[in-house]
Short mmCIF file of all heavy atoms in Angstrom, two decimals:
data_model
loop_
_atom_site.label_atom_id
_atom_site.label_comp_id
_atom_site.label_asym_id
_atom_site.label_seq_id
_atom_site.Cartn_x
_atom_site.Cartn_y
_atom_site.Cartn_z
N ALA A 13 11.16 29.17 2.88
CA ALA A 13 10.47 30.40 2.59
C ALA A 13 9.80 30.34 1.15
O ALA A 13 8.70 30.82 0.96
CB ALA A 13 11.47 31.58 2.63
N ARG A 23 -2.80 30.70 -6.81
CA ARG A 23 -2.59 30.19 -8.10
C ARG A 23 -1.92 28.82 -8.09
O ARG A 23 -1.19 28.50 -7.14
CB ARG A 23 -1.73 31.12 -8.92
CG ARG A 23 -2.40 32.47 -9.15
CD ARG A 23 -1.42 33.45 -9.78
NE ARG A 23 -0.30 33.61 -8.90
CZ ARG A 23 0.90 34.14 -9.26
NH1 ARG A 23 1.10 34.52 -10.54
NH2 ARG A 23 1.90 34.26 -8.41
N HIS A 25 0.91 26.06 -9.12
CA HIS A 25 2.35 26.18 -9.44
C HIS A 25 2.87 24.77 -9.69
O HIS A 25 2.37 23.76 -9.28
CB HIS A 25 3.09 26.73 -8.23
CG HIS A 25 2.75 28.12 -7.92
ND1 HIS A 25 3.34 29.17 -8.53
CD2 HIS A 25 1.88 28.63 -7.00
CE1 HIS A 25 2.85 30.29 -8.07
NE2 HIS A 25 1.93 29.97 -7.10
N ARG A 34 20.51 11.96 -2.13
CA ARG A 34 20.65 11.70 -0.67
C ARG A 34 20.86 13.00 0.15
O ARG A 34 21.56 12.93 1.14
CB ARG A 34 21.76 10.70 -0.41
CG ARG A 34 21.70 9.47 -1.27
CD ARG A 34 20.55 8.55 -1.07
NE ARG A 34 20.36 8.20 0.32
CZ ARG A 34 19.26 7.70 0.86
NH1 ARG A 34 18.17 7.55 0.08
NH2 ARG A 34 19.14 7.42 2.10
N ILE A 41 10.06 18.04 0.95
CA ILE A 41 8.72 18.19 0.36
C ILE A 41 7.65 17.48 1.19
O ILE A 41 6.60 18.04 1.49
CB ILE A 41 8.66 17.76 -1.12
CG1 ILE A 41 9.66 18.58 -1.95
CG2 ILE A 41 7.27 17.78 -1.68
CD1 ILE A 41 9.38 20.06 -1.95
N GLN A 48 -0.99 18.77 3.05
CA GLN A 48 -1.59 19.25 1.79
C GLN A 48 -1.42 18.21 0.64
O GLN A 48 -2.07 18.35 -0.36
CB GLN A 48 -0.97 20.54 1.34
CG GLN A 48 -1.26 21.69 2.33
CD GLN A 48 -0.46 22.95 2.00
OE1 GLN A 48 0.75 22.92 2.03
NE2 GLN A 48 -1.15 23.98 1.69
N PHE A 51 -2.03 13.50 -3.35
CA PHE A 51 -1.66 12.39 -4.20
C PHE A 51 -0.13 12.34 -4.27
O PHE A 51 0.47 13.41 -4.36
CB PHE A 51 -2.26 12.55 -5.60
CG PHE A 51 -1.83 11.42 -6.54
CD1 PHE A 51 -2.45 10.18 -6.42
CD2 PHE A 51 -0.90 11.62 -7.51
CE1 PHE A 51 -2.12 9.14 -7.30
CE2 PHE A 51 -0.49 10.55 -8.37
CZ PHE A 51 -1.14 9.34 -8.25
N ALA A 59 11.98 0.99 -15.08
CA ALA A 59 10.78 0.26 -15.19
C ALA A 59 10.09 0.61 -16.50
O ALA A 59 10.22 1.72 -17.04
CB ALA A 59 9.86 0.53 -14.03
N PHE A 68 0.90 3.82 -10.85
CA PHE A 68 -0.03 4.96 -10.80
C PHE A 68 -1.45 4.56 -10.37
O PHE A 68 -2.10 5.23 -9.56
CB PHE A 68 -0.05 5.66 -12.19
CG PHE A 68 -0.54 7.08 -12.14
CD1 PHE A 68 0.30 8.14 -11.91
CD2 PHE A 68 -1.89 7.34 -12.45
CE1 PHE A 68 -0.13 9.43 -11.88
CE2 PHE A 68 -2.37 8.65 -12.45
CZ PHE A 68 -1.50 9.70 -12.15
N VAL A 69 -1.97 3.44 -10.93
CA VAL A 69 -3.27 2.94 -10.54
C VAL A 69 -3.28 2.55 -9.05
O VAL A 69 -4.22 2.89 -8.37
CB VAL A 69 -3.65 1.73 -11.40
CG1 VAL A 69 -4.89 1.03 -10.83
CG2 VAL A 69 -3.93 2.10 -12.84
N ILE A 70 -2.21 1.90 -8.63
CA ILE A 70 -2.15 1.54 -7.20
C ILE A 70 -2.25 2.82 -6.35
O ILE A 70 -2.94 2.79 -5.31
CB ILE A 70 -0.84 0.77 -6.93
CG1 ILE A 70 -0.94 -0.62 -7.61
CG2 ILE A 70 -0.57 0.62 -5.42
CD1 ILE A 70 0.40 -1.37 -7.69
N TRP A 87 -0.49 7.63 -20.57
CA TRP A 87 -0.41 8.62 -19.50
C TRP A 87 -1.55 9.65 -19.55
O TRP A 87 -2.01 10.14 -18.52
CB TRP A 87 0.95 9.36 -19.54
CG TRP A 87 2.04 8.54 -18.92
CD1 TRP A 87 3.06 7.90 -19.56
CD2 TRP A 87 2.16 8.22 -17.54
NE1 TRP A 87 3.83 7.21 -18.63
CE2 TRP A 87 3.29 7.41 -17.42
CE3 TRP A 87 1.44 8.55 -16.40
CZ2 TRP A 87 3.72 6.90 -16.14
CZ3 TRP A 87 1.86 8.08 -15.14
CH2 TRP A 87 2.99 7.25 -15.07
N ALA A 90 -4.24 8.17 -17.60
CA ALA A 90 -3.89 8.18 -16.19
C ALA A 90 -4.09 9.58 -15.58
O ALA A 90 -4.72 9.72 -14.51
CB ALA A 90 -2.47 7.73 -15.99
N SER A 103 -12.37 21.01 -1.21
CA SER A 103 -11.61 21.58 -0.10
C SER A 103 -11.02 22.94 -0.56
O SER A 103 -10.61 23.05 -1.70
CB SER A 103 -10.47 20.65 0.34
OG SER A 103 -9.62 21.35 1.23
N LYS A 104 -11.03 23.90 0.31
CA LYS A 104 -10.46 25.22 0.00
C LYS A 104 -8.92 25.17 0.18
O LYS A 104 -8.27 26.03 -0.32
CB LYS A 104 -11.02 26.27 0.92
CG LYS A 104 -12.54 26.47 0.77
CD LYS A 104 -12.84 27.33 -0.44
CE LYS A 104 -14.35 27.53 -0.43
NZ LYS A 104 -14.78 27.95 -1.78
N LYS A 107 -4.04 21.91 -2.75
CA LYS A 107 -3.84 20.48 -2.95
C LYS A 107 -2.50 20.28 -3.62
O LYS A 107 -2.18 20.94 -4.63
CB LYS A 107 -4.94 19.92 -3.90
CG LYS A 107 -6.33 19.94 -3.29
CD LYS A 107 -7.35 19.54 -4.32
CE LYS A 107 -8.75 19.67 -3.79
NZ LYS A 107 -9.20 21.09 -3.73
N LEU A 117 9.30 8.31 -14.50
CA LEU A 117 7.99 8.05 -15.00
C LEU A 117 7.93 8.16 -16.50
O LEU A 117 7.22 7.50 -17.15
CB LEU A 117 6.95 8.97 -14.33
CG LEU A 117 6.64 8.74 -12.88
CD1 LEU A 117 5.72 9.84 -12.38
CD2 LEU A 117 5.98 7.43 -12.65
#
Side-chain angles (χ1 to χ4, degrees):
R23 297 173 298 163
H25 294 276
R34 312 295 307 161
I41 298 302
Q48 295 171 299
F51 180 76
F68 198 86
V69 168
I70 291 168
W87 279 108
S103 170
K104 298 279 185 200
K107 296 172 185 75
L117 288 175

